[in-house]
Amino acid sequence: MPFLAATVIIPNMALSTSQQSGGKDGPNASVAVAHPQQLFQELRQYSRLLSRPRIAAALQAEQSALAKQVDQYLELLQTELDKQQDGARGRAAINTGRLMHGVADSISWLMQCQAKASSVRDILQLLVGTANSTNSTESTAANGTQVGDAPATVALRSCLSTAVSLVQTIETQKKDMFTMWQDDVQSQLQDMASWKTSRLMTFDAANSHIRCHFNEALVGLLKEVRQLQALGFNVRREVLQEVETAGKFYRYGMVLHQCAHFYNNIATEMIPSQKPMMLADAVEFEKVLMNPKDATGRDITWHNASALEGYVRRLSAVAERLAMSNRRLRQWHSVLAGKVVGLMSTDLVRHKDKWVAAVKEMRDIFAGLEAQYPRARQEVWRHHWDFQLYKALEVQFRSGLENINKNLPEMEVSMVCRHHKLQYDPPLEELRMNHIAKHLNGFLGLPLRMKGVSSLSERQGFFAPIADADPAAIAMVYESCEALFASLADELRKYQDWLVLGDVAGDLEDYVEQQLCGSSNSSDDGSNIASNTGGDIGDWELNLRMLKQAAQDVDRLPNEVRIDCYKISLAPFKAYLEEMMKRLREALASSLRKKALSERQAIDDFLAAGQALLNLQATSVEEIGKAGQEARALVTRLSEVPQLRKRIEEKNRLLRQMAAATPAGAASGSSLAIIDLSGLSERWDSFVSQLQAYDSNLEVQRQGLQGQVLKKIQEFEGVITGFASRWQSIKPRGGPTGNPAVVMAQLEDAARQLADIKEEADALCKECEALGVSPPAFPQLEEVQADVMSTQASWGSYRDFLTERDNLAHKDWLSMRDQVWKIEDFLTKWEGTCSGASASDPGKAAIAVVLLQEIDAYRRCLPHLKSSMRGINWEDTHWVQLFSLLGFKAGTLTKETVTLAHFLDKADAIIAHVQQIKELDAMAQGEALIRKALTELKLWALQRMFTFVSNTDKAAAGGQAAAGDTKQGAGGRVPLVKEWSEILSELGNHQSLVASLKTSHYYSMFKDEVASWESRLSTLLNGLGVLQGIQRRWLYLAPIFSRGALPAVASRFRHVDGEFRSIMSQLEASGKVVALADLPGVLARLNSMATQLDACQRVLSEFLEEKRAAFPRFYFLGDDDLLEILGQAASLVVIQTHLRKLFAGIHRVRFSQDQSNITAMSSAEGESVELSTQVKVTETIEAWLDQLTSSMRSTLQGSLSGVADLSDPFSQAPSQVLGLYHALRFTERVEAAIQSGTLPQLASELRQELTALASKDCSNHSLLQLKKQGLIIDLMHSCNVVEGLLGTEGGEAPPRSPGDWVWTRQLRYYAEQGGGVSVCMAEATLSYTWEYTGNAPKLVVTPLTDRCFLTLTQALALGYGGNPYGPAGTGKTESVKALGQALARQVLVFNCDEEFDFRSMGRIFVGLLMCGAWGCFDEFNRLQEDVLSAVSQQVQAIQVGKCLYY
């Protein structure tokens, strides 16, 4: 036992105690140590053993060590208890290891500590009792220890006392904590019970959340009471009753809390695009949640448990339905996402069907959900997936563009030969068209044709931007397509040489025969049989060898070729080549046999021709000569026949070889049959013997024919004599008489007869020469021929003249009238020709005289043909009058059939009636001008249309309907005419045109039509002028009267409005401008409408004056702008556009979320100033604008007082307020420096501030940059002022007091009581009026500017105005505006010109006086003298009134 206590219990106790006290980092921290309570249990087990005296006495040292460790353990418990009492670590630090709540957790922890202390107490009592029994004989000391106790026992007793005290302390603390908790709960019961009288839930508009009113503290209280009761504490009845009540509603409260939490967080749980689909469930959930009512419609409270249970059940059901709907839609969303992701990786080129199927499945999913979620609510969700499809399609489309030709499915094409051309089947162009149309365009058009799942993509074009996004890639697709088909074409060209035979496939035998045998028809005289029939046997042998090699090459050609997506089959092409080679072989065999046959036929023909010659009996010299020549030719050709026979035998040999090499049935037997040469030798020998005896027979025949030729010569001389006599009888003498055509025909007939006689004479000479007779001479024939040729040459020029004239003159005059210059050229040419004639040649001279006479007649009428007879703009009546003047029979000619020849033939008549023709042409031209003008008017009337714009006047419609106007067309769309100036200008031009027509000499013929147009145009011009004014005023007045304004004249305007709408609707229906003149009584109606609108306008003017009086700034707006503001007061956008005209610095205003209040004002540069008092926007616009003015001024005044409190005034304060603040401080600092004599230090400080401000970087913030610029200008001026006060400028002495002139002449700012600011300069004191100026650029102040400010302020103080004078561009207007900006005064600049009158000036003065603004009248000297006089009276009245009342 001593060993156990010394080696186990005591060390473990020490180590456990040290670990619990925080010493876990010691050397034994990693050793597993038993808990102190476990060690105490072990000591309890050995209590009997330890009670033995001897053992106790033996364990004195161990007991001392144990007492020390127990004491440390008790100190540790006390320390933890103290920490809990002091709240150093709070309740959160207490961890009992149980699901305790609040005070129950703390009490439970105390009970645990009490149990630990009690355990230590009990063990110590056992150990102390053992020690007492050991020393029972000793006496007891006064402090409770036994006299003579051992030190270990004393230590144990001390520990026991400590343990007892600790147990009592914990018990006391536990009771105090419970009592305190009960008191605290008792005091809070009334507040906790407030939930029973409150609503179940309320809606927080600030964050749009639902808050349940079941007190959450009751949940904790309920748990605490149950746990405390479980710990053995008796809770007060009041608390138990409240807990019991809370327990009844605990389940409902938790459900309501859950539903509120679900409502507050459902927006984040929903997919945004699915929210419209769950809108019905969400609305139903919100409806049940927001309206806790029972069956009778009364609000459900916590007192009505049964109704509350039903409400909670309903609420749970709708919440569960909404959650289920959300989960289901999220699942379908995931399914759709998977499909789109799958499409993202699906090749659009190869698997377009998968795309179609996937999109169809998506549509089916949407369609399947339509029963629960209608199509309209799916649109946002569908739109979302359309955009996802757009992304997937864009990815695959771009990927497909890169390799579309390679990714297309394989297509088979055959290479064939058709019509002697190598091509593809289908043809290449068809392939190209199909490839582009079906594949390329089909692919490229997918974005254009594809439809998605929503209404956005139901119309073609939603996906179109995909195709339009990369035109360069699309161009590359077409370029690659062209390259592909270029490769296909190159493949065709690669085999093009094989088509040599195909080029002659239709007549292959003829081609072979032509190439190998030569042309059989190249010579018809048969002079050389061998050369004529040509063709060597070696040619056939060479071709047969080449044919065999080509067949082997064909076998080596590939059967198919692949080019990208095309597989080209060469089998048809190879079959074609084999067929061609077979045909070529047959053609070679056929041509070989034909060649042999032709050679055999040549021999037969030679023998037949020779035999016919030998049998001929000549009857003339020609026949004898010809027979002799032919006989000699036959002799020279006798050696050719044996050569032909040898060739035939060689061809027979080759035919036998080809027949042996040809398979049976491959070729017909007739093409390879040999040529029969039997019987040829006998015929040849007989022919040679007959030819040798033929020359002697020809000489006898020649001698008999010479006598016949001499007789023919005598007869021919008589023919010549007869022709000479007949020529002398018909030969013309002198110039042409009668019909020149008859003479020309007789000359041509004589020339033909002479040619026949001459030809017969030449034939007789040739016959004499052939028979050896001397040729005869015919001198008379030569004389007659010379005479005929001379006469024909003289008359030939006249014939040429007539021919050329007829070519020009027989064209119709309408086509020739613009080509009269050709006639002039023709006459000039022939004048030159005739000028060369001389008297030595009487015939030519006579013809020249005749030609010159005709040319002169033509020239005299030519000027009239060129001018007055052109017939431009002539009518049929004018042509009839012309034909009558020239003597043509009525009805024989028309303007279409008359030719130049008709006029040339009537040249004398034209010259005789020149004046009448000119008058006729003038009349035609005058009538044409009038007719053209009237035609233009008709075309204008038919084509000139009004240009309308629509004015959808919903407000007017509503206003009139409210007023009870039931006329058709009231309200709604009103067509308005556009482009008035163009129409009125055209009408004015047309009126001038009609007036000019009346001054024409030929006006009478068109008098009625011109009068009609004059009346019509006058009506149009007057009517449109009135209608333009009516439309303009209607546009202004309609919005005003639609709002119920001016009820006194509302009925009058309604009548005008109905009449105006009716007229405009009729004009729109017709569309034509002239339709206005066709309206019945249109001028009277329009004038009546204009009169009534004038009355409305007068009332409106009075109405506008009332509005201007209510808000004086309206005086500075024109009637148009003011009408627009008043008429569209509900349109905040319109009001925003006009604010900048009413306020100098307010460019826009900011409205509240519900658009009911103005919360801030903004400058043009973007500075926003929050209004101290929000302005409520009402229908009475002048009222809230006046409130805006007051709020603007109060905001600026209030902002000034808070500038000093801002952490960063430069960035937080408005620019105007910041500048005013610096101006006030500057005045204060200068006067303080003057009094203290520290102006140099102030100047140095200002320069330092200027340097610091200039170094500030505001480049990234435009608004701060503007502030910086304005402050720099102010600081620079301040520096200049202070330096001027020091005497550095101007030579003046520094001021000694703030009242010195050198300081008082400066512009100074002083704060007043109540927040106002006064601005002083010399003797003038002016108020700062708080007009918001925004961030307007500031004027750099120069000494001249200071003098200008000084003069103007003193004039204002005396009640006068100012008149800065100087050249243009010197800053007069800008100086006035700068002074107004310094005083926060609204400055209105007016550019005076001749249009200003005293009335407009008076209205401006009224506005300036009523709103307190300054008026700056630029170029005042441009006003008229009478206006200046009236204005001076007005200014004087203003000054007098100011003196009287101010």
Side-chain angles (χ1 to χ4, degrees):
M1 183 62 199
F3 176 78
L4 177 64
T7 60
V8 177
I9 296 177
I10 300 303
N12 281 341
M13 184 68 185
L15 186 59
S16 176
T17 304
S18 65
Q19 286 182 354
Q20 290 201 6
S21 64
K24 295 183 179 180
D25 297 331
N28 299 321
S30 62
V31 180
V33 181
H35 196 273
Q37 296 299 324
Q38 295 178 352
L39 298 177
F40 291 148
Q41 292 298 327
E42 291 180 3
L43 287 175
R44 191 184 298 277
Q45 293 177 5
Y46 298 109
S47 61
R48 289 183 176 275
L49 182 61
L50 294 175
S51 63
R52 295 180 182 182
R54 295 183 60 184
I55 293 175
L59 294 176
Q60 287 297 313
E62 286 75 8
Q63 286 182 354
S64 297
L66 177 62
K68 182 178 180 181
Q69 298 301 323
V70 169
D71 187 60
Q72 292 180 359
Y73 179 69
L74 291 175
E75 288 180 1
L76 176 63
L77 289 178
Q78 184 65 47
T79 300
E80 292 181 355
L81 186 63
D82 292 342
K83 289 181 179 180
Q84 192 274 340
Q85 287 180 339
D86 295 339
R89 298 172 63 185
R91 289 177 179 243
I94 302 174
N95 185 8
T96 62
R98 301 168 60 187
L99 298 176
M100 306 298 287
H101 191 273
V103 70
D105 192 21
S106 299
I107 293 176
S108 175
W109 181 81
L110 289 175
M111 293 177 71
Q112 291 177 10
C113 292
Q114 186 179 14
K116 293 177 182 178
S118 298
S119 176
V120 173
R121 182 195 61 189
D122 295 341
I123 295 299
L124 290 177
Q125 285 177 350
L126 289 174
L127 294 177
V128 171
T130 302
N132 288 336
S133 63
T134 305
N135 302 310
S136 59
T137 59
E138 302 295 334
S139 60
T140 303
N143 58 359
T145 61
Q146 299 293 334
V147 178
D149 283 346
T153 303
V154 173
L156 290 175
R157 288 183 183 277
S158 177
C159 291
L160 176 60
S161 176
T162 302
V164 171
S165 175
L166 181 60
V167 170
Q168 293 175 354
T169 301
I170 292 174
E171 180 66 24
T172 301
Q173 186 174 352
K174 182 177 64 174
K175 291 180 180 180
D176 292 344
M177 183 177 294
F178 177 71
T179 302
M180 186 183 299
W181 172 81
Q182 285 197 110
D183 295 341
D184 185 46
V185 170
Q186 188 75 29
S187 64
Q188 296 179 9
L189 282 179
Q190 186 175 0
D191 294 335
M192 289 184 181
S194 62
W195 64 274
K196 293 183 288 186
T197 59
S198 65
R199 299 180 60 185
L200 298 181
M201 288 176 292
T202 57
F203 179 74
D204 188 356
N207 54 12
S208 301
H209 282 185
I210 289 290
R211 186 168 67 88
C212 176
H213 286 290
F214 184 78
N215 197 332
E216 294 183 1
L218 290 174
V219 179
L221 179 63
L222 180 62
K223 293 180 180 180
E224 287 180 343
V225 169
R226 290 175 180 175
Q227 292 170 358
L228 289 173
Q229 287 179 333
L231 293 176
F233 289 91
N234 295 321
V235 183
R236 295 175 187 173
R237 179 178 299 175
E238 296 86 351
V239 177
L240 289 176
Q241 290 177 351
E242 189 63 33
V243 167
E244 182 181 358
T245 303
K248 293 180 182 179
F249 296 97
Y250 171 76
R251 181 173 59 86
Y252 305 137
M254 290 300 98
V255 172
L256 292 177
H257 269 296
Q258 292 173 359
C259 292
H261 179 76
F262 177 68
Y263 175 84
N264 296 335
N265 295 280
I266 186 61
T268 60
E269 297 294 329
M270 292 182 182
I271 296 174
S273 60
Q274 293 180 343
K275 289 182 179 180
M277 302 173 63
M278 292 185 284
L279 181 61
D281 292 336
V283 169
E284 183 179 2
F285 171 66
E286 185 177 21
K287 181 180 179 181
V288 175
L289 184 66
M290 296 294 188
N291 297 282
K293 297 182 182 297
D294 57 12
T296 61
R298 292 179 297 178
D299 290 340
I300 299 174
T301 62
W302 296 101
H303 297 289
N304 192 349
S306 59
L308 179 60
E309 181 177 3
Y311 170 72
V312 169
R313 186 168 54 253
R314 293 196 309 274
L315 184 60
S316 300
V318 295
E320 180 63 23
R321 185 160 57 251
L322 179 59
M324 285 292 294
S325 178
N326 186 36
R327 287 194 294 272
R328 181 185 179 195
L329 288 177
R330 291 181 72 93
Q331 290 174 357
W332 281 118
H333 196 81
S334 300
V335 171
L336 294 173
K339 293 187 179 298
V340 174
V341 170
L343 290 179
M344 192 77 74
S345 58
T346 302
D347 190 348
L348 184 61
V349 179
R350 290 182 177 270
H351 305 294
K352 185 167 63 176
D353 54 337
K354 292 184 180 180
W355 273 79
V356 174
V359 175
K360 183 179 183 302
E361 291 174 1
M362 293 178 69
R363 292 198 193 101
D364 293 340
I365 290 174
F366 287 113
L369 294 174
E370 286 185 4
Q372 184 174 358
Y373 307 104
R375 174 67 181 267
R377 295 182 180 178
Q378 292 184 13
E379 280 304 312
V380 177
W381 194 32
R382 287 173 177 255
H383 293 172
H384 169 79
W385 286 113
D386 262 346
F387 286 109
Q388 305 311 310
L389 284 174
Y390 185 99
K391 297 174 184 177
L393 181 62
E394 185 176 21
V395 170
Q396 283 300 321
F397 184 78
R398 292 183 177 177
S399 175
L401 287 178
E402 297 176 359
N403 299 300
I404 183 172
N405 291 324
K406 296 180 180 179
N407 293 339
L408 286 173
E410 187 176 75
M411 291 171 279
E412 294 186 358
V413 180
S414 299
M415 187 182 293
V416 299
C417 183
R418 292 177 181 167
H419 308 295
H420 311 303
K421 291 179 63 178
L422 186 61
Q423 57 183 321
Y424 291 115
D425 184 19
L428 184 62
E429 285 304 319
E430 183 178 341
L431 285 175
R432 184 197 303 272
M433 293 175 61
N434 186 51
H435 185 88
I436 294 175
K438 182 178 179 181
H439 299 294
L440 291 192
N441 291 349
F443 177 77
L444 296 177
L446 275 176
L448 303 178
R449 301 189 306 272
M450 181 174 176
K451 295 182 179 180
V453 295
S454 75
S455 59
L456 286 177
S457 58
E458 286 181 354
R459 301 184 303 273
Q460 295 181 357
F462 175 76
F463 300 98
I466 296 176
D468 299 336
D470 196 355
I474 295 176
M476 288 297 295
V477 168
Y478 283 100
E479 289 178 5
S480 63
C481 174
E482 292 301 321
L484 169 62
F485 282 93
S487 300
L488 291 175
D490 291 341
E491 193 68 20
L492 282 179
R493 286 190 289 273
K494 181 178 176 182
Y495 300 101
Q496 192 68 35
D497 294 341
W498 288 97
L499 289 184
V500 175
L501 293 178
D503 295 339
V504 291
D507 52 355
L508 182 60
E509 294 182 357
D510 295 339
Y511 179 76
V512 170
E513 184 176 353
Q514 181 180 1
Q515 296 298 322
L516 297 179
C517 303
S519 178
S520 60
N521 299 323
S522 61
S523 177
D524 294 333
D525 58 1
S527 60
N528 191 333
I529 299 176
S531 62
N532 187 32
T533 54
D536 188 7
I537 190 64
D539 295 338
W540 275 272
E541 292 175 345
L542 176 62
N543 279 280
L544 288 172
R545 287 195 301 270
M546 293 176 63
L547 184 60
K548 182 177 181 181
Q549 181 62 38
Q552 295 174 358
D553 293 340
V554 169
D555 291 337
R556 287 193 290 269
L557 292 177
N559 290 327
E560 63 182 32
V561 176
R562 296 179 182 272
I563 300 178
D564 285 349
C565 58
Y566 287 96
K567 183 175 73 173
I568 305 171
S569 174
L570 272 65
F573 175 59
K574 292 176 67 176
Y576 170 78
L577 292 180
E578 291 172 355
E579 177 65 24
M580 287 295 100
M581 290 181 181
K582 176 182 176 182
R583 291 181 57 189
L584 177 59
R585 183 180 181 85
E586 293 177 355
L588 286 173
S590 177
S591 65
L592 182 61
R593 190 172 188 283
K594 286 182 178 180
K595 185 62 177 176
L597 286 174
S598 65
E599 291 173 343
R600 170 59 190 269
Q601 186 63 38
I603 295 175
D604 291 341
D605 293 343
F606 179 77
L607 294 177
Q611 191 64 44
L613 179 61
L614 295 176
N615 297 331
L616 179 64
Q617 293 295 325
T619 60
S620 64
V621 176
E622 291 83 358
E623 291 179 355
I624 292 175
K626 184 178 179 181
Q629 293 175 358
E630 291 178 356
R632 288 190 293 272
L634 287 175
V635 172
T636 59
R637 294 167 57 193
L638 289 177
S639 61
E640 296 176 3
V641 174
Q643 295 177 6
L644 289 176
R645 182 172 182 175
K646 180 180 179 181
R647 291 182 181 180
I648 293 172
E649 291 174 350
E650 291 175 350
K651 291 178 176 59
N652 282 338
R653 175 182 56 78
L654 188 56
L655 285 172
R656 294 188 189 97
Q657 293 177 0
M658 293 177 66
T662 302
S668 61
S670 60
S671 62
L672 298 176
I674 62 175
I675 306 303
D676 185 15
L677 297 176
S678 61
L680 185 60
S681 300
E682 291 81 2
R683 292 179 60 196
W684 175 251
D685 294 339
S686 174
F687 172 73
V688 171
S689 60
Q690 291 179 14
L691 184 60
Q692 293 173 354
Y694 185 68
D695 288 339
S696 59
N697 295 331
L698 289 178
E699 185 62 28
V700 175
Q701 295 177 11
R702 183 183 295 112
Q703 293 174 359
L705 292 176
Q706 289 179 351
Q708 297 178 8
V709 171
L710 293 174
K711 185 177 180 181
K712 287 182 179 180
I713 292 173
Q714 294 176 356
E715 294 176 354
F716 182 69
E717 290 177 347
V719 172
I720 293 174
T721 302
F723 175 75
S725 176
R726 190 165 55 257
W727 165 248
Q728 292 299 325
S729 64
I730 65 173
K731 174 183 176 181
R733 291 170 175 80
T737 57
N739 192 347
V742 176
V743 176
M744 297 299 297
Q746 290 177 350
L747 290 176
E748 292 177 358
D749 183 58
R752 284 194 298 271
Q753 292 178 11
L754 179 62
D756 293 340
I757 294 172
K758 182 65 176 174
E759 184 180 354
E760 188 176 352
D762 293 339
L764 285 175
C765 292
K766 289 182 180 180
E767 191 173 354
C768 291
E769 184 180 358
L771 294 175
V773 179
S774 300
F778 305 108
Q780 189 179 8
L781 179 60
E782 294 177 358
E783 294 176 359
V784 173
Q785 182 179 6
D787 191 16
V788 171
M789 296 301 292
S790 175
T791 304
Q792 193 173 18
S794 299
W795 281 81
S797 60
Y798 188 69
R799 181 187 64 243
D800 295 340
F801 174 81
L802 294 178
T803 303
E804 190 171 352
R805 187 203 69 173
D806 292 342
N807 290 336
L808 291 173
H810 286 88
K811 294 180 180 179
D812 63 280
W813 173 240
L814 295 180
S815 61
M816 278 297 298
R817 60 186 177 185
D818 293 327
Q819 304 179 32
V820 179
W821 57 271
K822 291 183 178 181
I823 304 174
E824 293 181 333
D825 293 346
F826 161 72
L827 297 177
T828 302
K829 168 188 171 184
W830 281 102
E831 281 179 342
T833 302
C834 295
S835 63
S838 63
S840 60
D841 189 349
K844 289 186 177 181
I847 296 300
V849 171
V850 173
L851 291 178
L852 290 174
Q853 291 175 352
E854 291 193 19
I855 289 171
D856 181 64
Y858 294 158
R859 280 201 177 278
R860 283 187 291 121
C861 70
L862 192 60
H864 310 300
L865 292 175
K866 291 168 60 177
S867 58
S868 57
M869 293 180 62
R870 285 168 55 82
I872 302 298
N873 296 323
W874 284 28
E875 297 295 325
D876 292 341
T877 56
H878 303 131
W879 286 103
V880 171
Q881 295 179 48
L882 176 64
F883 296 152
S884 176
L885 286 174
L886 298 181
F888 292 109
K889 186 181 293 185
T892 58
L893 288 178
T894 63
K895 64 179 180 181
E896 292 83 9
T897 59
V898 67
T899 64
L900 176 61
H902 291 103
F903 290 146
L904 293 178
D905 293 340
K906 297 291 185 179
D908 296 335
I910 291 173
I911 296 170
H913 298 87
V914 166
Q915 190 60 36
Q916 294 92 323
I917 294 174
K918 288 181 178 180
E919 293 175 357
L920 179 63
D921 181 63
M923 180 176 65
Q925 301 305 323
E927 292 177 359
L929 289 175
I930 297 176
R931 194 175 291 106
K932 179 182 178 182
L934 294 176
T935 302
E936 290 178 357
L937 288 174
K938 293 177 182 177
L939 288 175
W940 180 84
L942 293 173
Q943 297 176 357
R944 191 59 169 100
M945 311 292 285
F946 281 117
T947 302
F948 290 98
V949 293
S950 297
N951 179 54
T952 305
D953 188 11
K954 295 181 179 179
Q960 291 176 9
D965 188 357
T966 59
K967 288 186 179 181
Q968 185 177 1
R973 177 181 174 276
V974 182
L976 301 177
V977 176
K978 188 181 179 184
E979 301 175 355
W980 288 98
S981 58
E982 293 184 9
I983 297 176
L984 293 174
S985 176
E986 291 174 6
L987 283 172
N989 293 337
H990 292 325
Q991 265 196 331
S992 300
L993 177 62
V994 171
S996 66
L997 295 181
K998 297 174 67 175
T999 62
S1000 174
H1001 297 292
Y1002 313 104
Y1003 161 72
S1004 58
M1005 184 176 179
F1006 307 94
K1007 181 178 180 180
D1008 295 338
E1009 189 174 0
V1010 171
S1012 173
W1013 273 109
E1014 186 178 20
S1015 173
R1016 202 174 191 186
L1017 291 175
S1018 176
T1019 302
L1020 282 175
L1021 189 60
N1022 295 332
L1024 287 176
V1026 176
L1027 182 61
Q1028 181 184 14
I1030 292 173
Q1031 177 179 297
R1032 184 173 61 252
R1033 279 176 287 180
W1034 181 89
L1035 280 172
Y1036 297 152
L1037 296 175
I1040 301 298
F1041 285 98
S1042 66
R1043 296 175 56 239
L1046 307 177
V1049 291
S1051 59
R1052 176 179 295 175
F1053 179 79
R1054 284 198 299 273
H1055 173 73
V1056 174
D1057 179 72
E1059 188 74 13
F1060 175 73
R1061 292 173 186 269
S1062 173
I1063 291 176
M1064 298 308 290
S1065 298
Q1066 295 179 41
L1067 293 180
E1068 184 187 33
S1070 174
K1072 297 178 181 179
V1073 173
V1074 296
L1076 179 66
D1078 299 333
L1079 297 178
V1082 64
L1083 286 180
R1085 294 166 63 186
L1086 291 175
N1087 290 327
S1088 175
M1089 292 167 60
T1091 302
Q1092 296 183 51
L1093 283 177
D1094 287 339
C1096 295
Q1097 185 74 42
R1098 287 192 298 273
V1099 176
L1100 178 61
S1101 299
E1102 298 173 358
F1103 168 73
L1104 294 180
E1105 288 302 318
E1106 293 177 3
K1107 295 297 181 181
R1108 288 189 172 103
F1111 187 66
R1113 295 186 190 232
F1114 283 160
Y1115 276 103
F1116 311 124
L1117 292 180
D1119 290 348
D1120 296 349
D1121 291 339
L1122 184 55
L1123 281 172
E1124 185 176 5
I1125 292 176
L1126 298 175
Q1128 303 189 40
S1131 176
L1132 301 181
V1133 176
V1134 174
I1135 301 303
Q1136 292 270 34
T1137 60
H1138 290 286
L1139 281 176
R1140 66 199 71 172
K1141 303 175 184 177
L1142 299 172
F1143 299 92
I1146 300 179
H1147 187 74
R1148 298 183 64 83
V1149 293
R1150 189 170 70 241
F1151 295 92
S1152 60
Q1153 291 184 353
D1154 56 359
Q1155 305 290 312
S1156 61
N1157 294 299
I1158 298 176
T1159 60
M1161 56 184 176
S1162 301
S1163 67
E1165 293 77 14
E1167 182 183 65
S1168 180
V1169 180
E1170 297 289 336
L1171 296 176
S1172 59
T1173 303
Q1174 293 188 0
V1175 178
K1176 184 173 182 59
V1177 179
T1178 62
E1179 291 186 0
T1180 309
I1181 187 171
E1182 61 274 13
W1184 67 259
L1185 282 175
D1186 189 59
Q1187 295 175 13
L1188 176 61
T1189 305
S1190 301
S1191 180
M1192 171 189 69
R1193 292 171 175 167
S1194 61
T1195 298
L1196 295 177
Q1197 190 171 359
S1199 299
L1200 178 63
S1201 60
V1203 171
D1205 300 330
L1206 296 176
S1207 59
D1208 184 10
F1210 179 76
S1211 60
Q1212 295 177 351
S1215 298
Q1216 180 179 351
V1217 175
L1218 187 62
L1220 178 60
Y1221 175 73
H1222 280 280
L1224 289 168
R1225 288 193 67 247
F1226 173 72
T1227 302
E1228 181 181 351
R1229 292 168 69 185
V1230 170
E1231 293 188 351
I1234 291 173
Q1235 293 175 351
S1236 61
T1238 57
L1239 280 176
Q1241 292 84 342
L1242 179 60
S1244 177
E1245 291 175 3
L1246 291 175
R1247 285 294 177 184
Q1248 292 175 3
E1249 292 176 6
L1250 178 61
T1251 303
L1253 182 61
S1255 63
K1256 185 183 291 289
D1257 184 13
C1258 302
S1259 57
N1260 295 328
H1261 199 297
S1262 60
L1263 184 58
L1264 294 181
Q1265 185 69 20
L1266 291 174
K1267 283 185 180 181
K1268 173 183 173 182
Q1269 294 173 0
L1271 289 178
I1272 287 176
I1273 292 174
D1274 290 344
L1275 272 175
M1276 290 176 62
H1277 178 59
S1278 300
C1279 292
N1280 294 335
V1281 170
V1282 173
E1283 291 170 357
L1285 294 176
L1286 289 173
T1288 56
E1289 295 181 4
E1292 298 182 13
R1296 296 182 179 179
S1297 68
D1300 288 353
W1301 167 252
V1302 69
W1303 167 242
T1304 57
R1305 71 180 184 181
Q1306 304 296 333
L1307 194 66
R1308 311 182 310 281
Y1309 291 81
Y1310 298 95
E1312 298 178 346
Q1313 295 292 334
V1317 174
S1318 60
V1319 183
C1320 301
M1321 198 169 192
E1323 302 299 325
T1325 300
L1326 305 173
S1327 298
Y1328 191 86
T1329 54
W1330 306 103
E1331 179 76 20
Y1332 180 60
T1333 59
N1335 307 92
K1338 292 190 175 182
L1339 183 68
V1340 176
V1341 180
T1342 64
L1344 178 61
T1345 310
D1346 278 332
R1347 289 197 297 273
C1348 182
F1349 283 3
L1350 181 61
T1351 303
L1352 290 175
T1353 53
Q1354 303 316 300
L1356 290 172
L1358 295 174
Y1360 299 109
N1363 184 22
Y1365 179 78
T1370 54
K1372 301 183 297 296
T1373 302
E1374 294 302 322
S1375 297
V1376 174
K1377 291 169 64 178
L1379 180 59
Q1381 184 180 7
L1383 298 175
R1385 180 85 64 169
Q1386 185 181 16
V1387 179
L1388 300 167
V1389 179
F1390 303 95
N1391 291 314
C1392 300
D1393 55 20
E1394 294 78 3
E1395 299 296 328
F1396 269 63
D1397 57 11
F1398 71 93
R1399 292 186 181 86
S1400 58
M1401 292 294 291
R1403 191 169 70 175
I1404 292 174
F1405 288 148
V1406 171
L1408 293 174
L1409 292 172
M1410 293 185 69
C1411 68
W1414 286 359
C1416 180
F1417 297 90
D1418 201 5
E1419 299 188 20
F1420 197 70
N1421 55 318
R1422 293 181 59 185
L1423 295 176
Q1424 299 291 337
E1425 293 181 359
D1426 55 343
V1427 176
L1428 283 172
S1429 176
V1431 168
S1432 65
Q1433 296 297 322
Q1434 293 172 341
V1435 171
Q1436 184 178 8
I1438 293 172
Q1439 291 176 341
V1440 170
K1442 186 175 180 181
C1443 293
L1444 291 176
Y1445 297 102
Y1446 295 96

